[in-house]
């Protein structure tokens, strides 16, 4: 069959006109060639057959013509109509369009009545183990069953429901091909690898037609630890699914599935980046009133989101939650029409919901944490228990960096830990210092925290541990470099940038007006709570 015949037949099928097979052509083979021509990409080895290609091609008229060649249906109009109705059934539990497509591609449409008799439908193709599916095809010869199963990956591409009221993990066989038109790795860390994906429009349900079908895909390994973390994250995110009591500043989980032997996957809306990315791309602070309003609004919204996690009143039995890993990398930035966008809490891998009796019973040991933003309790609490107060400390650290970015600019923050620098102005920023408005070299915030640490090697955190200061054990003190972060002090020629415990003293230079916010270092054995 030449290209002209394929194009003409495709047009006829798409427009719903009478389907006519060219003289001398076998209907089954003719339709099979049309389907192969609609693979995306046009390659049976790496592509897949979109569901839209099936619905456009396998119309009622086409199915009747193909099955009409079968002796089973000749002179049996009622039986033929029943079979066509079953193939095109709108009930996904009964639909057999994918099965019919595979039978067309393998020249096995004569066996369509047998598939109906044994009760196999499209939903069974993805979910049944390969061996069980093969055994249910015992009415076929082994070679025919092998041929049918060999086409599963081409046709049996799942349609993803992204609007379910509650997410339940679906398990797909290793040979099931996902309907992704694009997949590009964009980041990752200890909790998983993040890719940008684009899903074929015909394989998504629950989205408006204006969607660009681009999402974020989080992959975790299939180890027992990862499986437990994935289950915990799904459980936490389900607490914020509509129509439940959600929050606009908590990330929405759209889909969860396991791809056998490949990994555990979570699908989310795709953000422009995280808070680190926002700071980096908007590296110059702005004096505009609108920018100050935006910053205050984002801090307010984030506080509201974390309060919702801490007090989720829709679930009275276990209404007290914790995020457990607040940091700029877990606050996502979604770009908006004004160019500023909005910030959303993400990565609820460590989030748990508790009752009053168990809310303070999570241990620090045996779980991951962001060391920079950890609370003093990790170092000074003998019981090693984590309460909701842990989140408050971490959020306060993030908000302080937010203010440093706003008042002094991105270069005053220093390169975030575990984030590859994307320097926007190499002359104004180095590993250890930035240039203030007068061109003077000033230690950036991160280097100042490292130099002001109680450990000899210098650790990037916001507190120091005091030993021997109390008979009750070690206590903690907010670092001087943190309380005096707004001083904007130039580095003197005699200063050793890499030395520990750099002496920071008040100065009239810079932004002294802002230092009263953190002017009094405090003793702390625990943090505050959101109320």
């Amino acid at each position: 069959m030449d290209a002209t015949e394929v194009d003409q037949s495709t047009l006829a099928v798409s427009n719903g006109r009478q389907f006519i097979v060219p003289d001398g052509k076998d209907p089954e083979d003719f339709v099979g060639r049309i389907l192969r021509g609609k693979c995306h990409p046009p390659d049976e080895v790496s592509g897949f057959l979109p569901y839209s290609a099936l619905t456009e091609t396998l119309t009622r008229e086409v199915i009747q013509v193909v099955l009409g060649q079968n002796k089973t249906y000749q002179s049996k109009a009622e039986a033929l109509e029943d079979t066509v109705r079953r193939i095109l059934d709108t009930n996904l539990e009964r639909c057999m369009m994918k099965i019919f497509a595979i039978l067309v591609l393998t020249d096995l449409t004569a066996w369509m009545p047998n598939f109906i008799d044994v009760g196999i439908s499209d939903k069974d193709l993805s979910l049944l183990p390969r061996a069980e599916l093969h055994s249910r095809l015992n009415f076929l010869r082994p070679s025919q069953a092998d041929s049918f199963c060999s086409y599963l990956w081409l046709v049996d591409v799942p349609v993803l429901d992204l609007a379910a009221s509650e997410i339940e993990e679906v398990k797909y066989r290793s040979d099931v091909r996902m309907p992704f038109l694009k997949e590009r790795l964009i980041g990752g860390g200890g909790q998983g690898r993040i890719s940008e994906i684009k899903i074929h429009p015909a394989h998504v349900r629950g989205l408006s037609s204006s969607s660009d079908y681009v999402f974020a895909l989080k992959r975790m390994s299939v180890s027992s630890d990862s499986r437990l973390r994935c289950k915990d994250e799904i459980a936490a995110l389900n607490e914020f699914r509509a129509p439940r009591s959600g929050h606009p500043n908590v990330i929405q989980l759209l889909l969860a599935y396991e791809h056998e032997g490949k990994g555990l996957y979570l699908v989310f809306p795709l953000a422009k980046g995280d808070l680190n990315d926002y700071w980096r791309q908007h590296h110059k602070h702005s004096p505009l009133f609108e920018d100050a309003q935006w910053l205050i609004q984002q801090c307010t919204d984030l506080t509201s989101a974390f309060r919702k996690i801490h007090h989720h009143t829709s679930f009275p039995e276990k209404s007290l939650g914790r995020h457990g890993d607040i940091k700029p990398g877990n606050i996502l930035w979604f770009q908006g029409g004004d160019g500023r966008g909005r910030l959303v809490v993400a990565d609820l891998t460590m989030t748990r919901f508790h009752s009053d009796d168990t809310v303070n019973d999570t241990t620090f040991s045996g779980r991951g944490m962001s060391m920079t933003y950890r609370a003093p309790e990790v170092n000074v609490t003998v019981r090693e228990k984590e309460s909701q107060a842990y989140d408050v400390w971490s959020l306060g650290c993030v908000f302080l960096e937010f203010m440093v970015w706003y008042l002094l600019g991105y270069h005053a923050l220093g390169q975030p830990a575990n984030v590859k620098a994307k320097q926007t102005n190499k002359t104004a920023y180095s590993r250890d210092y930035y240039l203030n408005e007068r061109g003077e070299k000033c230690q950036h915030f991160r280097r100042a925290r490292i130099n002001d640490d109680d450990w000899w090697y210098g650790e990037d955190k916001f507190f120091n541990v005091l030993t021997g200061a109390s008979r009750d054990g070690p206590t903690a003190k907010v670092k001087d470099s943190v309380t005096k972060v707004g001083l904007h002090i130039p580095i003197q020629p005699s200063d050793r940038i890499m030395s520990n415990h750099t002496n920071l003293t008040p100065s009239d230079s810079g932004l002294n007006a802002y230092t009263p916010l953190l002017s009094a270092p405090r003793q702390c054995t625990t943090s505050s709570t959101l109320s």
Side-chain angles (χ1 to χ4, degrees), residues 169-188:
E169 184 182 325
V170 181
K171 187 171 183 178
Y172 296 113
R173 292 192 315 273
S174 59
D175 61 333
V176 171
R177 182 162 293 179
M178 302 307 293
F180 300 157
L181 302 179
K182 178 181 70 174
E183 183 173 354
R184 179 176 66 91
L185 183 66
I186 58 175

Side-chain angles (χ1 to χ4, degrees), residues 89-110:
D89 201 316
T90 56
N91 185 338
L92 297 180
E93 299 293 315
R94 292 169 49 83
C95 181
M96 301 181 69
M97 184 176 289
K98 293 180 181 180
I99 289 175
F100 182 73
I102 296 176
L103 295 179
V104 169
L105 292 167
T106 54
D107 298 325
L108 294 173
T109 55

Side-chain angles (χ1 to χ4, degrees), residues 75-86:
S75 303
K76 295 182 180 179
E78 186 176 345
L80 176 59
E81 181 59 29
D82 287 342
T83 300
V84 173
R85 189 182 302 112
R86 179 65 185 276

Side-chain angles (χ1 to χ4, degrees), residues 329-367:
N330 284 341
I331 297 174
L332 298 184
W333 161 43
F334 286 86
Q335 192 164 20
D338 62 354
R340 299 182 182 90
R342 65 188 180 94
L343 301 178
V344 172
V345 178
D347 199 344
L348 273 64
T349 309
M350 298 181 186
T351 301
R352 305 291 183 272
F353 287 91
H354 295 265
S355 63
D356 289 326
D357 296 332
T358 63
V359 68
N360 297 319
D361 284 348
T362 299
T363 60
F364 294 118
S365 59
R367 78 162 185 84

